[in-house]
Amino acid sequence: MSRPPFGFGPGDRPDDEPGDEPDPTDPFGLGQLSELFGGGDIMSVMSKMSAWRGGPVNWDLATEVAEKAARDGDRAVSSAERQEVEEACRLADLWLDPVTTLPAGGGSATAWTRTGWLSSTLPAWRTLVDPVAERVVAAMSGALEQGLSGEGGLGGLTGELPEGLPPEMAAMLANLGGAGGMAGLGEAMKGVMGQVGGMVFGMQVGQALGALAGEVVGGTDVGLPLSEAGRPVLLPAGVKAFGEGLGIDDGEVRLYLALREQAHQRLFKHVPWLRSHLFDAVDAYARGIEVDPQAIERAVGSFDPSDPESLQRAMGEGMFELQPTEAQQAALARLETALALVEGWVDAVVESASGQLPHAVQLRETVRRRRASGGPAEQTFAALVGLQLRPRRLREAAALWAEVAAARGTEGRDALWDHPDLLPGPSDLDDPAGFVGAAGTDWDAGLAALESGEVGDAPDDGAVDGPDEDPPVGSS
């Protein structure tokens, strides 16, 4: 039997044994959601589920699922751990001062629990996920409604309930249809199925963020400004888990991760256009989404109310496969380049600042592998909508920033963040030396133009675009 995606169905609960058959009275697996919604029978769960009207993702469900996962093994931060985080971040700022012209963020360091990280970053995740989910759910809901009202759908069924249904299933469908019988059932199911997309995304987002909360070490792990800019954050539990098996003193691991956190915070605090640029790239990706309606219609058309497993099979047969478009590819390239430049700059700056640490090289390589080979950020977004936040070109970007620093000094390197038109593009990552020594490259003139309010007509070589290219996330 095929299993549905996103964690629904038998075999996902701890007390399930291999080979357990699905409950025929609960084909949607809604019994698993009962506890999250405060208990109650399946019908009450469906009522609460369908009551969500807050957007394409059921964030009530997402929050419940994520918090439940984050609480597993979570614990309060002790006063000693809070002091260790504050001291590590304070020392990290002192070590960073000589190696970058970007000043300290100025915010006080914070030690978060896993649930604290989750609650504090949820608004940013909502901004990132909603635009993508909106396009997918709209396409899905339209196809579901068409499939349910067409020939062979629930809307075309009349008369009595199909024979052979288990008594409990028949009773549930009869209650749902009410006095209208199967015709009423078809109309009711349209409304219920209109909420399926939000429920699916809500469950998926919750599971992904709950798992991510158990892996992150700070506020900037995913390369995006998810929390207040300039306010460094470390998760003591995450820092400890990161250092397990490395054979390195906990204090050294903590200080190295604090250096990375503080470097990120300086960048996000003092490069005001960077946050909107990164989030706008995700929004541009969302606007380019095109879902194959025929694939969804085929899946919906296979749904048979007398065969509970048909919905499970339909959900496992490509309902949510997204077809990449040129616009999406461009948005992804833009996002990937920006992430690589951010992570490469942090990598280069921290390398300069961490020379006193005995295991700096080992820690640097551990972080690089974690970020470049598919860390928690990539897994989260890939599971949600196929959007990867992996900076695949981190090493090339770090090498480029090192070349720029060697040629122009720390001030010249950091000045490139003054405007997106000054930043390297994808082709420059292939040839750092060429970017540094290219004929006609006049950064001083470019900076002078910026200071005078005249941005030059830079050639379109694929460099990071300015924040005005796309409207802000959530704008119409």
Side-chain angles (χ1 to χ4, degrees), residues 163-303:
E163 297 181 359
L165 289 177
E168 297 86 352
M169 182 67 173
M172 184 185 76
L173 293 177
N175 290 333
L176 188 61
M182 285 302 293
L185 173 61
E187 292 301 316
M189 283 297 290
K190 290 179 188 178
V192 172
M193 295 301 283
Q195 302 298 317
V196 167
M199 181 193 72
V200 169
F201 264 97
M203 175 64 81
Q204 192 180 18
V205 170
Q207 290 175 333
L209 294 183
L212 186 58
E215 298 176 352
V216 294
V217 301
T220 56
D221 263 27
V222 302
L224 293 171
L226 298 176
S227 57
E228 180 184 349
R231 181 187 182 189
V233 172
L234 288 180
L235 282 69
V239 172
K240 183 176 180 59
F242 178 91
E244 289 179 354
L246 295 179
I248 302 175
D249 179 74
D250 289 346
E252 184 178 352
V253 173
R254 185 183 308 110
L255 179 54
Y256 186 86
L257 295 176
L259 284 167
R260 287 186 52 81
E261 177 71 11
Q262 290 285 44
H264 274 106
Q265 293 298 345
R266 289 181 182 224
L267 194 60
F268 291 139
K269 176 72 172 181
H270 299 292
V271 182
W273 56 266
L274 185 55
R275 185 184 191 276
S276 62
H277 171 77
L278 292 169
F279 279 56
D280 286 351
V282 177
D283 187 51
Y285 169 87
R287 294 199 306 271
I289 286 178
E290 293 182 3
V291 183
D292 182 1
Q294 294 182 348
I296 297 180
E297 290 171 8
R298 287 194 299 269
V300 174
S302 68
F303 175 49

Side-chain angles (χ1 to χ4, degrees), residues 29 50 54-55 87 117 145 150 156 239 283 292 322:
S50 61
E87 292 177 352
W117 174 88
E145 182 174 355
V239 172
D283 187 51
D292 182 1
L322 309 182

Side-chain angles (χ1 to χ4, degrees), residues 78-458:
S78 68
S79 58
E81 289 174 326
R82 187 171 292 106
Q83 183 176 358
E84 289 171 345
V85 168
E86 292 173 354
E87 292 177 352
C89 289
R90 185 161 48 246
L91 182 57
D93 257 343
L94 292 176
W95 286 15
L96 286 169
D97 281 339
V99 299
T100 177
T101 60
L102 296 182
S108 58
T110 306
W112 277 349
T113 62
R114 292 168 178 171
T115 52
W117 174 88
L118 182 65
S119 61
S120 298
T121 60
L122 268 176
W125 287 113
R126 185 165 182 166
T127 300
L128 287 164
V129 173
D130 269 351
V132 182
E134 183 177 5
R135 295 295 299 270
V136 177
V137 171
M140 176 184 170
S141 299
L144 285 171
E145 182 174 355
Q146 181 176 350
L148 289 172
S149 61
E151 184 178 354
L154 289 177
L157 294 176
T158 58
E160 302 297 329
L161 292 171
E163 297 181 359
L165 289 177
E168 297 86 352
M169 182 67 173
M172 184 185 76
L173 293 177
N175 290 333
L176 188 61
M182 285 302 293
L185 173 61
E187 292 301 316
M189 283 297 290
K190 290 179 188 178
V192 172
M193 295 301 283
Q195 302 298 317
V196 167
M199 181 193 72
V200 169
F201 264 97
M203 175 64 81
Q204 192 180 18
V205 170
Q207 290 175 333
L209 294 183
L212 186 58
E215 298 176 352
V216 294
V217 301
T220 56
D221 263 27
V222 302
L224 293 171
L226 298 176
S227 57
E228 180 184 349
R231 181 187 182 189
V233 172
L234 288 180
L235 282 69
V239 172
K240 183 176 180 59
F242 178 91
E244 289 179 354
L246 295 179
I248 302 175
D249 179 74
D250 289 346
E252 184 178 352
V253 173
R254 185 183 308 110
L255 179 54
Y256 186 86
L257 295 176
L259 284 167
R260 287 186 52 81
E261 177 71 11
Q262 290 285 44
H264 274 106
Q265 293 298 345
R266 289 181 182 224
L267 194 60
F268 291 139
K269 176 72 172 181
H270 299 292
V271 182
W273 56 266
L274 185 55
R275 185 184 191 276
S276 62
H277 171 77
L278 292 169
F279 279 56
D280 286 351
V282 177
D283 187 51
Y285 169 87
R287 294 199 306 271
I289 286 178
E290 293 182 3
V291 183
D292 182 1
Q294 294 182 348
I296 297 180
E297 290 171 8
R298 287 194 299 269
V300 174
S302 68
F303 175 49
D304 180 357
S306 65
D307 178 12
E309 293 185 11
S310 67
L311 182 62
Q312 295 180 354
R313 289 192 295 270
M315 293 180 69
E317 293 173 356
M319 281 182 66
F320 304 99
E321 291 180 359
L322 309 182
Q323 302 298 320
T325 64
E326 290 186 6
Q328 282 181 284
Q329 293 294 336
L332 288 175
R334 176 185 170 198
L335 178 62
E336 187 177 79
T337 300
L339 287 172
L341 291 174
V342 168
E343 293 298 294
W345 183 88
V346 169
D347 183 89
V349 168
V350 171
E351 182 191 23
S352 300
S354 61
Q356 302 178 54
L357 294 178
H359 300 91
V361 174
Q362 180 182 352
L363 288 167
R364 182 191 192 194
E365 189 60 29
T366 300
V367 170
R368 279 182 162 189
R369 289 198 304 266
R370 189 172 187 256
R371 288 294 286 122
S373 63
E378 180 196 5
Q379 296 169 11
T380 299
F381 268 74
L384 294 178
V385 290
L387 180 61
Q388 298 182 358
L389 295 178
R390 179 175 59 184
R392 295 188 298 176
R393 310 197 68 185
L394 186 155
R395 295 177 187 271
E396 293 94 329
L400 184 145
W401 288 119
E403 289 270 3
V404 174
R408 301 284 298 188
T410 299
E411 184 175 354
R413 178 199 63 195
D414 294 348
L416 294 182
W417 289 106
D418 286 351
H419 193 278
D421 286 350
L422 298 176
L423 284 179
S427 61
D428 298 317
L429 297 180
D430 297 323
D431 184 18
F435 173 75
V436 172
T441 298
D442 191 341
W443 295 332
D444 293 332
L447 290 172
L450 287 173
E451 292 173 357
S452 65
E454 298 176 1
V455 179
D457 296 328

